[in-house]
Tab-separated table of all heavy atoms in Angstrom:
chain	number	residue	atom	x	y	z
B	97	ARG	N	-16.845	14.042	-2.907
B	97	ARG	CA	-18.253	13.610	-2.882
B	97	ARG	C	-18.529	12.479	-3.865
B	97	ARG	O	-19.633	12.390	-4.411
B	97	ARG	CB	-19.207	14.787	-3.195
B	97	ARG	CG	-19.308	15.826	-2.120
B	97	ARG	CD	-20.290	15.402	-1.042
B	97	ARG	NE	-20.244	16.337	0.071
B	97	ARG	CZ	-21.094	17.348	0.231
B	97	ARG	NH1	-22.069	17.526	-0.622
B	97	ARG	NH2	-20.971	18.145	1.259
B	98	GLN	N	-17.497	11.623	-4.051
B	98	GLN	CA	-17.654	10.555	-5.043
B	98	GLN	C	-18.711	9.532	-4.650
B	98	GLN	O	-19.255	8.835	-5.506
B	98	GLN	CB	-16.309	9.872	-5.313
B	98	GLN	CG	-15.693	9.150	-4.123
B	98	GLN	CD	-14.263	8.688	-4.412
B	98	GLN	OE1	-13.621	9.138	-5.344
B	98	GLN	NE2	-13.750	7.781	-3.591
B	99	ALA	N	-18.978	9.393	-3.363
B	99	ALA	CA	-20.099	8.561	-2.936
B	99	ALA	C	-21.249	9.500	-2.634
B	99	ALA	O	-21.353	10.038	-1.540
B	99	ALA	CB	-19.719	7.763	-1.690
B	101	ARG	N	-25.154	11.545	-4.334
B	101	ARG	CA	-26.493	11.404	-4.927
B	101	ARG	C	-26.524	11.156	-6.427
B	101	ARG	O	-27.539	10.730	-6.958
B	101	ARG	CB	-27.328	12.650	-4.597
B	101	ARG	CG	-27.890	12.608	-3.200
B	101	ARG	CD	-28.536	13.906	-2.819
B	101	ARG	NE	-27.542	14.964	-2.687
B	101	ARG	CZ	-27.762	16.143	-2.122
B	101	ARG	NH1	-28.953	16.427	-1.667
B	101	ARG	NH2	-26.804	17.021	-2.037
B	106	TYR	N	-26.178	4.600	-4.600
B	106	TYR	CA	-26.106	5.400	-3.364
B	106	TYR	C	-27.506	5.757	-2.895
B	106	TYR	O	-27.851	5.586	-1.723
B	106	TYR	CB	-25.277	6.682	-3.572
B	106	TYR	CG	-25.446	7.666	-2.419
B	106	TYR	CD1	-24.783	7.473	-1.208
B	106	TYR	CD2	-26.334	8.748	-2.511
B	106	TYR	CE1	-24.973	8.339	-0.134
B	106	TYR	CE2	-26.533	9.613	-1.449
B	106	TYR	CZ	-25.846	9.411	-0.266
B	106	TYR	OH	-26.043	10.254	0.796
B	110	ARG	N	-29.109	4.688	0.570
B	110	ARG	CA	-29.516	5.767	1.465
B	110	ARG	C	-30.972	5.633	1.880
B	110	ARG	O	-31.332	5.886	3.031
B	110	ARG	CB	-29.305	7.114	0.788
B	110	ARG	CG	-29.368	8.204	1.832
B	110	ARG	CD	-29.606	9.552	1.311
B	110	ARG	NE	-30.511	10.205	2.227
B	110	ARG	CZ	-30.792	11.454	2.226
B	110	ARG	NH1	-30.242	12.239	1.346
B	110	ARG	NH2	-31.609	11.960	3.099
B	116	PHE	N	-29.851	10.878	6.221
B	116	PHE	CA	-28.438	10.926	5.863
B	116	PHE	C	-27.538	10.707	7.085
B	116	PHE	O	-26.569	9.944	7.026
B	116	PHE	CB	-28.139	12.275	5.191
B	116	PHE	CG	-26.681	12.554	5.037
B	116	PHE	CD1	-25.919	11.805	4.145
B	116	PHE	CD2	-26.067	13.544	5.776
B	116	PHE	CE1	-24.564	12.056	3.998
B	116	PHE	CE2	-24.718	13.797	5.634
B	116	PHE	CZ	-23.965	13.056	4.749
B	143	ILE	N	-12.931	7.372	-0.234
B	143	ILE	CA	-12.967	8.299	0.905
B	143	ILE	C	-14.070	7.830	1.833
B	143	ILE	O	-15.174	7.481	1.386
B	143	ILE	CB	-13.157	9.784	0.480
B	143	ILE	CG1	-13.223	10.693	1.715
B	143	ILE	CG2	-14.367	9.977	-0.426
B	143	ILE	CD1	-12.972	12.162	1.456
B	146	SER	N	-18.973	9.715	5.343
B	146	SER	CA	-19.367	10.308	6.614
B	146	SER	C	-19.716	11.754	6.318
B	146	SER	O	-19.992	12.108	5.177
B	146	SER	CB	-18.209	10.219	7.617
B	146	SER	OG	-18.621	10.664	8.878
B	147	ASP	N	-19.687	12.619	7.322
B	147	ASP	CA	-19.900	14.045	7.078
B	147	ASP	C	-19.099	14.837	8.094
B	147	ASP	O	-18.777	14.321	9.173
B	147	ASP	CB	-21.385	14.399	7.183
B	147	ASP	CG	-21.648	15.758	6.547
B	147	ASP	OD1	-21.705	15.828	5.308
B	147	ASP	OD2	-21.740	16.749	7.281
B	148	ILE	N	-18.818	16.091	7.760
B	148	ILE	CA	-18.045	16.902	8.712
B	148	ILE	C	-18.824	17.144	10.008
B	148	ILE	O	-18.235	17.498	11.019
B	148	ILE	CB	-17.588	18.263	8.110
B	148	ILE	CG1	-18.773	19.113	7.657
B	148	ILE	CG2	-16.623	18.039	6.952
B	148	ILE	CD1	-18.383	20.570	7.355
B	149	PHE	N	-20.156	16.924	9.995
B	149	PHE	CA	-20.932	17.183	11.216
B	149	PHE	C	-21.013	15.975	12.151
B	149	PHE	O	-21.572	16.077	13.242
B	149	PHE	CB	-22.349	17.629	10.854
B	149	PHE	CG	-22.374	18.923	10.103
B	149	PHE	CD1	-23.190	19.091	8.995
B	149	PHE	CD2	-21.568	19.984	10.498
B	149	PHE	CE1	-23.201	20.285	8.297
B	149	PHE	CE2	-21.568	21.186	9.802
B	149	PHE	CZ	-22.387	21.338	8.690
B	161	PHE	N	-30.634	17.641	8.600
B	161	PHE	CA	-30.669	18.171	7.238
B	161	PHE	C	-32.115	18.422	6.870
B	161	PHE	O	-32.915	17.501	6.795
B	161	PHE	CB	-30.001	17.209	6.260
B	161	PHE	CG	-28.499	17.242	6.377
B	161	PHE	CD1	-27.829	16.419	7.265
B	161	PHE	CD2	-27.757	18.136	5.621
B	161	PHE	CE1	-26.448	16.468	7.387
B	161	PHE	CE2	-26.380	18.199	5.734
B	161	PHE	CZ	-25.717	17.362	6.615
B	213	PHE	N	-11.189	11.885	6.790
B	213	PHE	CA	-11.309	13.347	6.695
B	213	PHE	C	-11.968	13.947	7.916
B	213	PHE	O	-12.612	13.260	8.710
B	213	PHE	CB	-12.094	13.753	5.439
B	213	PHE	CG	-13.578	13.492	5.550
B	213	PHE	CD1	-14.430	14.468	6.058
B	213	PHE	CD2	-14.120	12.285	5.148
B	213	PHE	CE1	-15.801	14.232	6.168
B	213	PHE	CE2	-15.484	12.043	5.252
B	213	PHE	CZ	-16.329	13.022	5.761
B	223	TYR	N	-20.515	27.021	10.812
B	223	TYR	CA	-21.849	26.415	10.933
B	223	TYR	C	-22.365	26.480	12.372
B	223	TYR	O	-23.550	26.705	12.607
B	223	TYR	CB	-21.816	24.948	10.484
B	223	TYR	CG	-21.710	24.762	8.989
B	223	TYR	CD1	-20.499	24.467	8.390
B	223	TYR	CD2	-22.836	24.870	8.182
B	223	TYR	CE1	-20.401	24.280	7.013
B	223	TYR	CE2	-22.754	24.690	6.808
B	223	TYR	CZ	-21.539	24.394	6.228
B	223	TYR	OH	-21.449	24.220	4.875
B	276	PHE	N	-10.888	19.423	5.451
B	276	PHE	CA	-11.733	20.316	4.648
B	276	PHE	C	-11.888	21.643	5.388
B	276	PHE	O	-12.666	21.739	6.331
B	276	PHE	CB	-13.135	19.720	4.459
B	276	PHE	CG	-13.217	18.596	3.461
B	276	PHE	CD1	-13.057	17.279	3.857
B	276	PHE	CD2	-13.485	18.849	2.124
B	276	PHE	CE1	-13.152	16.232	2.941
B	276	PHE	CE2	-13.597	17.815	1.201
B	276	PHE	CZ	-13.427	16.509	1.605
B	278	SER	N	-13.275	24.123	3.893
B	278	SER	CA	-13.930	24.466	2.634
B	278	SER	C	-14.164	25.958	2.451
B	278	SER	O	-14.024	26.487	1.371
B	278	SER	CB	-15.263	23.728	2.544
B	278	SER	OG	-15.026	22.349	2.622
B	392	HIS	N	-14.176	20.886	-6.580
B	392	HIS	CA	-15.077	20.769	-5.424
B	392	HIS	C	-15.926	19.529	-5.679
B	392	HIS	O	-15.651	18.785	-6.624
B	392	HIS	CB	-15.915	22.041	-5.267
B	392	HIS	CG	-16.442	22.229	-3.860
B	392	HIS	ND1	-17.268	23.253	-3.505
B	392	HIS	CD2	-16.256	21.513	-2.724
B	392	HIS	CE1	-17.564	23.180	-2.214
B	392	HIS	NE2	-16.966	22.126	-1.723
M	1455	CP3	O1	-16.384	13.049	-0.522
M	1455	CP3	C1	-17.076	12.072	-0.164
M	1455	CP3	O2	-17.718	11.353	-0.961
M	1455	CP3	C2	-17.067	11.699	1.298
M	1455	CP3	C3	-18.223	12.059	2.035
M	1455	CP3	C4	-18.486	13.510	2.366
M	1455	CP3	C5	-19.788	14.019	2.483
M	1455	CP3	N1	-19.721	15.294	2.950
M	1455	CP3	C6	-21.001	13.275	2.173
M	1455	CP3	C7	-22.254	14.009	2.002
M	1455	CP3	C8	-17.617	14.533	2.702
M	1455	CP3	C9	-16.095	14.542	2.681
M	1455	CP3	C10	-18.404	15.657	3.092
M	1455	CP3	C11	-17.814	16.912	3.574
M	1455	CP3	C12	-18.698	18.041	3.878
M	1455	CP3	N2	-19.946	18.027	4.412
M	1455	CP3	C13	-18.311	19.382	3.762
M	1455	CP3	C14	-16.982	19.854	3.295
M	1455	CP3	C15	-16.810	19.512	1.872
M	1455	CP3	C16	-17.244	20.546	0.923
M	1455	CP3	O3	-18.324	20.409	0.352
M	1455	CP3	O4	-16.435	21.446	0.734
M	1455	CP3	C17	-19.382	20.185	4.169
M	1455	CP3	C18	-19.429	21.691	4.180
M	1455	CP3	C19	-20.402	19.308	4.601
M	1455	CP3	C20	-21.721	19.678	5.186
M	1455	CP3	C21	-22.799	19.198	4.334
M	1455	CP3	N3	-23.160	17.873	4.228
M	1455	CP3	C22	-23.583	19.959	3.444
M	1455	CP3	C23	-23.529	21.462	3.287
M	1455	CP3	C24	-24.409	19.045	2.769
M	1455	CP3	C25	-25.332	19.339	1.636
M	1455	CP3	C26	-26.743	19.451	1.996
M	1455	CP3	C27	-27.560	19.332	0.740
M	1455	CP3	O5	-28.777	19.368	0.894
M	1455	CP3	O6	-27.004	19.211	-0.371
M	1455	CP3	C28	-24.127	17.746	3.280
M	1455	CP3	C29	-24.792	16.492	2.897
M	1455	CP3	C30	-23.953	15.431	2.311
M	1455	CP3	N4	-22.711	15.085	2.732
M	1455	CP3	C31	-24.346	14.546	1.269
M	1455	CP3	C32	-23.295	13.642	1.088
M	1455	CP3	C33	-23.236	12.473	0.143
M	1455	CP3	C34	-25.683	14.539	0.575
M	1455	CP3	C35	-26.622	13.885	1.515
M	1455	CP3	C36	-27.786	13.240	0.858
M	1455	CP3	O7	-28.801	13.920	0.706
M	1455	CP3	O8	-27.702	12.030	0.559
Side-chain angles (χ1 to χ4, degrees):
R97 289 277 173 97
Q98 64 189 17
R101 280 172 292 193
Y106 167 78
R110 195 198 140 169
F116 168 69
I143 179 162
S146 186
D147 196 78
I148 59 167
F149 297 136
F161 285 89
F213 74 90
Y223 286 100
F276 284 91
S278 301
H392 202 183

